[in-house]
Amino acid sequence: MSGPISLEPGDAGQDTLALRLAEPRPPRRRPRWALDDATLAIRLPGHGPDEEAVSTLAAELADAVGPAVHPYEVAALLEAEGLSATVIKERYGHPNLFSLATALYERVPRTFPEPPRAADPWRPDTLRCLLRGVLFALPALAYLLTAPLWAVDRHAPVLIVAGITSWAWGQALGHRAHLRLVAGRREASGTLLTGSLLGAAAATALAALPGSSALSLAVAAAQSLYLAGASVLLVLARERLLLAALSPLIVGAAVLPWWEPGPELRVGLPLLALLATLGAAGRILWAGRAGPAAPDTGRPPLHASLPYGLFGLAAAVLVMLEGRRQPYAVIALTLSMGPAEWLLYRYRGWSVAALRVSATPAGFLLRSTAVLGLCLTGYLALLLPAALLTGSDPATLLPLAAVLWTALLLQAFGVAWPSAVLCLAAAGPAGAVLLLDLPPGPAVLPWACGAAAVALAACAIRLLGRPSPHS
């Protein structure tokens, strides 16, 4: 012990007994409330709180005390810091933990820090989206390879009927397969196996209606089988496997400018790609069917997928009508489906971000409308150069693209019937006018698509401009 103990009346240290250790301890990790390891301050009773010590503690714990909404939170913090009842009484002059916690709560101003930014659950896989757009267009290489071997124009109605049927069936089957994926991979694989075979059979049977020859019917059957197998791989997210299956078409088309492959290779390469696609789809389905069966949860009703099939029918008719006049526009539109899917993910992610920063429903409605306008404008801006490069009319291609993208957006949120009805309302009259050569002729398609695009956008603003679909 060293140093005098002065307790004379009026002395500045009359309420403090200081005990100084002869030698300081080695440095060690200390609690934030321990100011000096070499000094132990003992408060004598009857002198009240030590305001200076409490203020120092409040400054040290300000970052943790500021966000507290009740003194009890501060009390829990002090307990976690290791403050005992003895230290609270003798060092800070408070009778108990809750008294000191209340004092700290009152001294530190309230702060409300922003929570850490959460990860975007809708962040898209850019490479996967672009790959899907390419995969949608690659099958056209089969027609490029086989074009010299048969009159494609003469047999086009057969392929168009089969293609429209496969498109509509594939949309409905894809929706039903995703519903079955909730139950398990085995159940979804069974749905895809049965549905794809039925779809290929239905498309081939309907292709015979325009009075087809045996050759055109065989080509329609091959097209339907490919679309069935490709749908299986795309629904189950096996894009790279499908790309590998289509590699014979890529190789064959790549050598055409420099080498004539001959009739055998012109037929053999598309046939090899078809067999590879069917083999890959069959292997994936076989592996899925070998998994464990899920408990019987009941099958979703068939009519739940009906609006998705009707949308596929309407979309196929609209694209077919555009392709009759401007075939290169269809290629540009097909390739743009990859960026379109990317923008669908971006819309969902940006809408969630807008919801986090919106304080009122009206504020979120404005932000949601701005996000919709940004995504749709970005998609159309991407298509505009493609339309000009291919010599297509932007006045028709851009409204058609807006219809397809906005309808897919609504379907992504489960709003299927409005998009199906509006697309059918555009495809029906436009198809009747163009196929029957009625007035106003080709001008009906841009007007029909434009009206449908405006109606779909209004529907999207009304239904998706509320917080509930995004929460």
Side-chain angles (χ1 to χ4, degrees):
M1 306 276 283
S2 62
I5 301 176
S6 176
L7 295 178
E8 296 294 330
D11 187 80
Q14 66 176 355
D15 58 350
T16 302
L17 173 62
L19 304 179
R20 176 80 48 189
L21 300 178
E23 295 181 1
R25 298 178 182 176
R28 63 182 180 86
R29 189 174 182 272
R30 303 169 299 173
R32 284 181 283 184
W33 48 268
L35 300 178
D36 189 356
D37 283 339
T39 301
L40 174 61
I42 302 176
R43 300 285 307 172
L44 296 180
H47 291 276
D50 186 342
E51 300 298 335
E52 181 180 354
V54 174
S55 297
T56 303
L57 182 62
E60 291 179 353
L61 302 179
D63 292 340
V65 175
V69 297
H70 194 275
Y72 285 178
E73 290 189 48
V74 183
L77 172 65
L78 295 179
E79 284 188 320
E81 289 287 336
L83 268 73
S84 63
T86 302
V87 173
I88 292 172
K89 291 179 181 178
E90 296 176 351
R91 179 166 186 77
Y92 299 104
H94 279 269
N96 53 53
L97 173 69
F98 297 102
S99 174
L100 177 59
T102 302
L104 293 175
Y105 182 81
E106 294 173 351
R107 285 171 186 262
V108 178
R110 304 273 66 76
T111 59
F112 303 98
E114 289 292 330
R117 182 179 294 274
D120 184 3
W122 298 104
R123 183 177 181 179
D125 185 343
T126 303
L127 181 60
R128 179 172 176 264
C129 291
L130 294 178
L131 177 58
R132 288 174 69 90
V134 173
L135 290 175
F136 292 147
L138 280 180
L141 296 178
Y143 303 105
L144 179 65
L145 283 170
T146 59
L149 305 180
W150 64 309
V152 179
D153 294 341
R154 186 160 57 91
H155 300 291
V158 177
L159 301 180
I160 290 174
V161 171
I164 291 176
T165 305
S166 295
W167 194 338
W169 189 279
Q171 289 288 318
L173 178 60
H175 174 259
R176 185 166 180 81
H178 280 100
L179 292 180
R180 296 294 284 161
L181 273 173
V182 177
R185 177 74 64 169
R186 178 186 178 93
E187 288 68 26
S189 297
T191 297
L192 285 171
L193 177 60
T194 305
S196 59
L197 293 177
L198 288 176
T204 305
L206 291 176
L209 295 181
S212 57
S213 63
L215 174 62
S216 60
L217 191 60
V219 175
Q223 173 185 276
S224 302
L225 286 172
Y226 167 78
L227 291 176
S231 297
V232 170
L233 295 176
L234 291 174
V235 168
L236 297 179
R238 296 296 193 274
E239 292 86 3
R240 290 177 174 83
L241 195 57
L242 180 57
L243 178 63
L246 293 176
S247 57
L249 293 180
I250 301 173
V251 174
V255 302
L256 279 181
W258 300 279
W259 179 61
E260 169 55 45
E264 294 79 8
L265 286 178
R266 284 184 177 272
V267 174
L269 291 177
L271 184 59
L272 180 60
L274 171 63
L275 294 177
T277 302
L278 295 178
R283 185 172 69 86
I284 294 298
L285 292 178
W286 180 269
R289 291 293 294 168
D296 187 13
T297 56
R299 295 176 177 269
L302 291 175
H303 64 78
S305 301
L306 177 60
Y308 296 88
L310 293 177
F311 163 73
L313 175 63
V317 170
L318 290 173
V319 172
M320 180 270 295
L321 295 176
E322 173 69 3
R324 292 175 71 243
R325 298 172 54 247
Q326 300 171 343
Y328 291 109
V330 176
I331 298 176
L333 187 64
T334 303
L335 289 171
S336 74
M337 286 295 103
E341 185 173 337
W342 187 89
L343 285 169
L344 291 176
Y345 280 103
R346 285 287 80 195
Y347 173 84
R348 301 203 73 162
W350 288 339
S351 296
V352 172
L355 182 60
R356 291 195 183 108
V357 299
S358 299
T360 62
F364 176 71
L365 175 61
L366 292 175
R367 288 184 173 89
S368 177
T369 304
V371 170
L372 175 63
L374 177 64
C375 292
L376 186 55
T377 302
Y379 178 50
L380 299 182
L382 180 68
L383 265 178
L384 180 59
L388 298 177
L389 287 174
T390 57
S392 305
D393 183 12
T396 303
L397 179 59
L398 297 187
L400 174 58
V403 167
L404 296 180
W405 189 86
T406 313
L408 290 173
L409 175 66
L410 289 171
Q411 289 190 347
F413 284 87
V415 185
W417 276 111
S419 57
V421 170
L422 290 173
C423 289
L424 284 172
V433 168
L434 292 177
L435 295 178
L436 299 178
D437 198 17
L438 301 175
V444 70
L445 186 58
W447 282 103
C449 291
V454 172
L456 286 167
C459 185
I461 292 173
R462 178 178 176 273
L463 297 177
L464 306 183
R466 299 174 297 174
S468 55
H470 307 274
S471 56

